[in-house]
Amino acid sequence: MRKSTLFLLSFLLFFSCSKVYHQTDTQSLTYKVDESSAVDASPSIEQLIQPYKTQLDHAMNVPVGNCESRMDKTRPESTLGNWMADAIHTQAEQLLNTTIDFALQNYGGIRIPYLPEGEISRGKIYELMPFENRLVLMQLSGTRIQQFLDHIAALGGWPVSHGLRFEIKNKQAVNIQIKGKAIDKDQRYTIVLPDYIANGGDKCDFLVGQEKQVTEHLIRSILLDYLSNNPLIQAEIEGRITQ
Amino acid sequence: MNRRNFIRTVGTTTVLAGAGVVPMNAFVRPEVTKLTILHTNDMHSRIEPFPMDGGRAQGLGGVARRAALINQIRQEEEHVLLLDCGDIFQGTPYFNFFGGELEFKLMSEMKYDAATIGNHDFDAGIEGLYKQLPHANFPLLIANYDFSDTIMHQQTKPYQIFEKGGIRIGVFGLGIELDGLVPSTLVGNTRYLDPIEQANSYGTILKEEEKCDYVICLSHLGYKYDTNEVSDVHLAQQTRHVDLILGGHTHTFMDEPDIQPNLDEKPVLIHQAGWAGIILGRIDIHFEYNFKHKCVQCKNLLIKRG
């Protein structure tokens, strides 16, 4: 009896081993996380958040500026991008006590799709520029600038300040105007940009090894400083980059 | 069954296990079982819902609500896996001020089973990530970042196996190429390994050596690109043992999973849940335990939208 039980068990085990799990049916579902899921929002989670939120609200729910109308981030040119690049341009000239040809900011470095109409808080500027990116000044030849702008054109356009205009044709930068003059391949131009890009980020490896002045100024602090003197946030689409 | 027979059964199992015939853990294998996979990606420090300012995402998201939703699903379903695909950090002042501490604490409280590492999880440097590890009681899974020359050495695992409802689920993680994306000062001596090679190597380990019934890849590669950059679609097409790719990085809102054929022409599911915790993804998989060529309830991987 015992022997046969053992045999049976071994037999069953052996055959059960050739069994596998088949996937018979698969269903997918996505839940929108909105007020309907908040009927009894987890109290333990809210408790956990509260002390952090209190501390942050104190520092961040401070108005720093005002948008007359909503400012969007779009390609190839946008109101939000123009405002930001111009703010960096203006502040950089003051901080570094020099004249620059233009400022630029990588598109992906703007981390919100728009600034809403109305009052803008300090926290919103943190969301716009959460990175600890620092301002870098570079002097680049016209040839290098052309290469840089071709890269930007291929990516669909980045925010640039008022000193620069160009067209995107076949993913290349054409009719480049710097401070109202056609680009000169042999001239050197002074530009400011985030260290992330100067260090080769967003596939800008052609900038690596180029001479640069890395400053201690955070792009975010530059924007906040600019706002303290210019709290009205506004910009126009003026054909800086067209396609 | 009397005690003596029970002992003998165990003995027999052990012998067979020694011969490599049964999985090492011969645990209960129900005839039919259901696995519920919940997933998020690119949470980007969005602790609170988006403000009501007229934007597309206004009023959406928020961790407290997501936690409530997850709790509700856990009450309804027995076998739940909760997974995240990276970029947990960066995007709101919560990260600038607290360095990711609250993000990890909240994920621990929600009982995340595992997460992988996104490029922005390096934004406070590799030391910044390391510093937050005590707040995470879930493993960080990454199979293609070699951290051996960094402070993160032995702080992550390539994969982990979960047992739910009789199913052995192998979960591994893949991260995106960091060069050109994250400043080298932030990633330190992290070495990036080819994700497809790692996926095939760990896929084989999970399916053949670890006898997993189901293999999930937590990917931060991105869904797909116009360029040749390696993506979840490439990963699905160029691997053998991955059943499901949960993705991130491209912030893609997918209404239903994409299905791509793998190297053996078997279907691989790819899914991604937008970003910022605006949505929570869910995939339910029903299993039948039966002989290799026999399956009563099998359908041809029909995806039904919920």
Side-chain angles (χ1 to χ4, degrees), chain A:
Chain A
M1 176 61 196
R2 275 181 198 159
K3 261 188 181 172
S4 63
T5 311
L6 183 60
F7 176 76
L8 183 69
L9 280 166
S10 313
F11 181 84
L12 284 172
L13 263 169
F14 179 78
F15 278 97
S16 70
C17 294
S18 61
K19 278 184 164 183
V20 295
Y21 270 111
H22 300 272
Q23 296 159 45
T24 57
D25 195 9
T26 304
Q27 288 133 11
S28 80
L29 188 61
T30 50
Y31 298 89
K32 200 176 242 189
V33 179
D34 58 17
E35 66 276 7
S36 68
S37 42
V39 178
D40 48 355
S42 172
S44 62
I45 292 284
E46 285 188 330
Q47 273 171 27
L48 194 49
I49 295 172
Q50 201 49 51
Y52 293 88
K53 180 172 161 52
T54 308
Q55 206 179 324
L56 264 198
D57 284 352
H58 184 69
M60 293 291 122
N61 281 357
V62 179
V64 293
N66 214 302
C67 280
E68 272 196 327
S69 58
R70 175 181 156 129
M71 309 273 286
D72 281 299
K73 168 195 171 189
T74 51
R75 293 181 196 274
E77 183 185 346
S78 67
T79 47
L80 182 54
N82 286 358
W83 171 78
M84 190 166 164
D86 285 351
I88 295 168
H89 185 140
T90 305
Q91 286 303 108
E93 288 195 328
Q94 282 180 21
L95 287 166
L96 308 176
N97 198 21
T98 184
T99 304
I100 61 168
D101 291 300
F102 62 88
L104 57 79
Q105 164 65 45
N106 56 311
Y107 187 78
I110 300 183
R111 299 302 285 183
I112 50 173
Y114 63 94
L115 279 179
E117 185 185 333
E119 201 170 84
I120 298 301
S121 69
R122 189 177 171 83
K124 190 56 90 178
I125 300 301
Y126 268 76
E127 290 179 21
L128 172 76
M129 176 39 71
F131 307 122
E132 309 300 301
N133 283 179
R134 288 169 199 280
L135 184 78
V136 167
L137 181 128
M138 290 181 105
Q139 287 193 320
L140 298 174
S141 69
T143 309
R144 188 69 69 185
I145 294 280
Q146 174 77 55
Q147 184 183 14
F148 198 173
L149 299 184
D150 281 342
H151 179 64
I152 291 171
L155 294 170
W158 281 2
V160 298
S161 69
H162 51 80
L164 177 67
R165 275 173 190 258
F166 67 91
E167 285 173 46
I168 301 176
K169 277 228 171 85
N170 301 322
K171 298 195 166 187
Q172 291 195 315
V174 297
N175 295 331
I176 301 168
Q177 299 268 317
I178 298 171
K179 288 196 161 166
K181 287 185 193 154
I183 187 169
D184 177 351
K185 307 238 149 151
D186 299 321
Q187 201 187 310
R188 293 188 79 75
Y189 295 95
T190 306
I191 67 166
V192 289
L193 69 168
D195 59 352
Y196 173 70
I197 297 304
N199 292 332
D202 267 351
K203 304 205 164 55
C204 293
D205 35 320
F206 48 84
L207 295 178
V208 178
Q210 297 286 312
E211 204 178 314
K212 60 179 184 274
Q213 181 191 339
V214 182
T215 76
E216 286 306 300
H217 306 291
L218 291 176
I219 300 286
R220 185 176 54 244
S221 310
I222 285 174
L223 296 176
L224 288 166
D225 288 347
Y226 179 78
L227 282 168
S228 63
N229 294 319
N230 310 273
L232 189 62
I233 303 168
Q234 55 183 352
E236 301 296 326
I237 301 285
E238 50 194 42
R240 293 180 189 181
I241 304 179
T242 54
Q243 60 184 357

Side-chain angles (χ1 to χ4, degrees), chain B residues 123-302:
Chain B
D123 278 5
I126 196 161
E127 294 82 8
L129 176 59
Y130 175 79
K131 204 176 139 194
Q132 301 307 332
L133 294 178
H135 303 296
N137 67 5
F138 51 89
L140 290 178
L141 305 179
I142 185 91
N144 70 324
Y145 291 161
D146 176 358
F147 286 131
S148 21
D149 292 335
T150 75
I151 195 168
M152 286 291 285
H153 183 47
Q154 293 185 335
Q155 302 297 317
T156 63
K157 298 190 222 176
Y159 67 86
Q160 181 150 321
I161 294 163
F162 299 88
E163 289 178 357
K164 298 267 177 187
I167 308 279
R168 273 173 77 78
I169 308 130
V171 182
F172 72 100
L174 290 177
I176 194 167
E177 166 79 272
L178 298 166
D179 192 27
L181 192 61
V182 184
S184 56
T185 46
L186 298 181
V187 300
N189 291 326
T190 305
R191 274 203 322 130
Y192 170 79
L193 309 174
D194 184 278
I196 308 256
E197 277 175 27
Q198 295 304 106
N200 274 315
S201 136
Y202 282 107
T204 306
I205 290 172
L206 289 169
K207 277 268 167 83
E208 291 174 5
E209 290 173 30
E210 299 278 10
K211 308 288 178 199
C212 287
D213 303 298
Y214 198 74
V215 170
I216 303 172
C217 174
L218 306 181
S219 157
H220 200 78
L221 297 175
Y223 171 42
K224 61 178 175 188
Y225 302 103
D226 297 335
T227 59
N228 279 332
E229 282 170 272
V230 61
S231 65
D232 292 341
V233 172
H234 291 138
L235 179 68
Q237 291 169 346
Q238 294 170 37
T239 52
R240 245 174 247 289
H241 297 294
V242 180
D243 296 292
L244 169 65
I245 300 166
L246 298 174
H249 190 64
T250 43
H251 296 194
T252 313
F253 286 90
M254 294 171 77
D255 288 332
E256 55 189 292
D258 185 9
I259 305 174
Q260 293 286 337
N262 75 4
L263 283 178
D264 297 327
E265 298 291 318
K266 287 183 183 154
V268 182
L269 298 187
I270 306 173
H271 206 9
Q272 196 176 138
W275 74 292
I278 290 172
I279 58 171
L280 173 70
R282 171 174 176 173
I283 292 179
D284 287 344
I285 304 152
H286 298 259
F287 293 90
E288 175 183 318
Y289 196 51
N290 213 328
F291 298 103
K292 201 160 184 184
H293 298 290
K294 190 180 176 200
C295 178
V296 180
Q297 298 174 64
C298 277
K299 300 169 187 172
N300 284 330
L301 197 72
L302 186 68

